[in-house]
Amino acid sequence: MSGGKFVRLGSLLGLFFFIISVYILWRIKTVILLGFAAVVFATTLNRLVRFLLRFRLKRTFAVIISVGFCLGLLVGFFVLVVPPFVDQVQQLIDLVPIGLQQIPQWANWVRNVVPDGLLEEIGGLKVFTQDLRSWATRLFGNFFDLFYSSIGLVLNMLLVGVVTIMLLANPEPYRQVFILLFPAFYRHRVQEILDECEDTLGGWAVGILFNMMVIAIFSGLGLWILQVQLPLANGLLAGIFTFIPNLGPTLSVIPPVALALLDTPWKAVAVVVLYIIIQQIESNILTPLVMQRQVSLLPAVTLLSQMAFAIFFGILGLFLALPIVVVAQVFLKEVLVKDILNKWK
């Protein structure tokens, strides 16, 4: 009888500590996400470090060169690109609501072009455009309100940068601590899974950075050719939003379309066509070329994970949803499928 009570007490204590652990993890969820962001950056930079190690450099010097190279790129970016970008973003914030007010005028232009019978079948076009204008204005305003809460953003970036350098300088102790969380018989297998996670995550990061750069250049050039206002700001926003598949391209097209509506409706249509062409190039040409080793993610899983992480963790969760899913899919494939389900007879 006493043994049964002891087992029951142990179970209750285990449940209690489990609930406490979940509560603590939830309270520090932002720190955990920032730590994961540092892991992503460290994994990406580690590719450059490994390349430099081929020239028989010590790891310390390779890390210094890699970090210095990235800092040089960042300084050049902030000196050459950020001032005009910020200036154009300020104008963008002022002009986009004005452009969105032109949507009813655009709807009238569509009514004059499209046959009456087709418009009757569509129905509710006016209501739809009014809802779209209201939704886009709120979304765009909220995004830039969050974007300009700079103090917290800078502190978080500094934290991520410091942790990234720590992980990059000597990653092995952190790796070993994580491996020790698993039983002794499974630790060699965890080493293999971590290697695959690193390879997959690094390939994904390099590929997405390349895609962001190409999308930004193509979008900026296309908008400049179409003579849409503020091509630099819109091009960079398109590149940044590429980091968020599915949702990103939709969000990035709103500002240039709104600005194009200030000139003429056909230019807004041309902007939409331009962005569709660029996204098709990115999806069908760039992604297969630069992400051959990336884990293939199902579109529905990607979209649902983004929405879930955005609801639970906010904008930080939205941006980190995809790398988290990349790592989680590797673990599920290797641990759950290969090591458990495939051997379950």
Side-chain angles (χ1 to χ4, degrees):
M1 190 72 171
S2 60
K5 291 182 179 179
F6 180 77
V7 172
R8 225 170 16 250
L9 178 62
S11 300
L12 290 175
L13 286 175
L15 178 62
F16 173 76
F17 284 114
F18 174 76
I19 294 173
I20 292 297
S21 299
V22 171
Y23 173 76
I24 293 174
L25 290 174
W26 179 256
R27 294 290 296 177
I28 63 172
K29 60 182 183 296
T30 302
V31 177
I32 295 175
L33 288 176
L34 291 175
F36 181 79
V39 171
V40 174
F41 288 127
T43 302
T44 305
L45 282 176
N46 196 44
R47 291 203 158 202
L48 180 57
V49 171
R50 287 182 175 177
F51 174 76
L52 294 174
L53 291 176
R54 297 177 185 175
F55 298 96
R56 299 182 179 179
L57 292 174
K58 291 184 178 180
R59 183 173 183 88
T60 303
F61 291 113
V63 170
I64 292 174
I65 294 173
S66 301
V67 174
F69 174 74
C70 292
L71 288 177
L73 289 179
L74 284 175
V75 169
F77 178 79
F78 277 98
V79 170
L80 299 176
V81 179
V82 168
F85 171 71
V86 171
D87 180 63
Q88 290 196 9
V89 166
Q90 293 282 2
Q91 299 178 49
L92 201 63
I93 296 174
D94 296 332
L95 292 176
V96 164
I98 299 175
L100 292 174
Q101 291 175 4
Q102 305 299 316
I103 291 181
Q105 179 181 346
W106 175 75
N108 292 331
W109 177 78
V110 171
R111 290 191 185 94
N112 295 330
V113 174
V114 179
D116 293 337
L118 181 59
L119 282 177
E120 291 178 0
E121 294 179 3
I122 294 176
L125 183 60
K126 182 177 180 180
V127 175
F128 171 75
T129 54
Q130 290 175 347
D131 291 343
L132 176 62
R133 181 179 60 187
S134 174
W135 175 82
T137 304
R138 290 199 309 269
L139 179 64
F140 195 76
N142 291 338
F143 172 78
F144 280 101
D145 288 342
L146 183 63
F147 185 81
Y148 276 104
S149 51
S150 55
I151 297 178
L153 180 65
V154 170
L155 291 176
N156 289 338
M157 289 177 63
L158 287 175
L159 175 63
V160 171
V162 171
V163 176
T164 298
I165 294 174
M166 290 179 176
L167 294 174
L168 196 61
N170 191 12
E172 196 59 30
Y174 304 98
R175 183 186 179 102
Q176 291 302 320
V177 168
F178 180 79
I179 291 174
L180 289 175
L181 297 175
F182 295 85
F185 74 92
Y186 200 67
R187 287 170 186 167
H188 177 71
R189 177 66 176 139
V190 173
Q191 289 265 22
E192 297 176 349
I193 296 173
L194 287 179
D195 289 338
E196 184 171 350
C197 284
E198 182 180 358
D199 185 59
T200 303
L201 189 59
W204 170 83
V206 172
I208 198 67
L209 289 174
F210 177 79
N211 280 4
M212 289 170 67
M213 181 182 67
V214 173
I215 293 295
I217 293 173
F218 282 3
S219 301
L221 285 176
L223 294 173
W224 178 73
I225 292 172
L226 291 174
Q227 296 184 344
V228 177
Q229 299 181 56
L230 314 178
L232 174 63
N234 284 304
L236 287 177
L237 284 178
I240 293 171
F241 280 126
T242 302
F243 194 84
I244 312 174
N246 301 320
L247 300 176
T250 303
L251 296 176
S252 66
V253 78
I254 295 174
V257 166
L259 294 178
L261 286 171
L262 292 174
D263 295 334
T264 177
W266 72 262
K267 188 176 288 189
V269 176
V271 170
V272 173
V273 172
L274 170 68
Y275 273 59
I276 291 175
I277 293 174
I278 292 175
Q279 290 302 320
Q280 291 302 311
I281 293 174
E282 187 267 340
S283 301
N284 299 314
I285 299 178
L286 292 180
T287 298
L289 284 178
V290 302
M291 294 189 178
Q292 293 177 355
R293 303 178 70 178
Q294 181 190 357
V295 176
S296 178
L297 297 176
L298 298 175
V301 174
T302 303
L303 181 59
L304 291 175
S305 66
Q306 289 172 329
M307 298 303 296
F309 276 89
I311 292 172
F312 283 105
F313 307 113
I315 190 69
L316 184 61
L318 178 63
F319 274 91
L320 291 177
L322 201 56
I324 291 174
V325 171
V326 168
V327 173
Q329 184 162 318
V330 173
F331 264 92
L332 288 174
K333 182 185 71 174
E334 298 296 325
V335 177
L336 180 62
V337 177
K338 289 186 178 180
D339 293 348
I340 298 178
L341 297 180
N342 286 354
K343 296 180 181 180
W344 193 353
K345 296 182 181 179

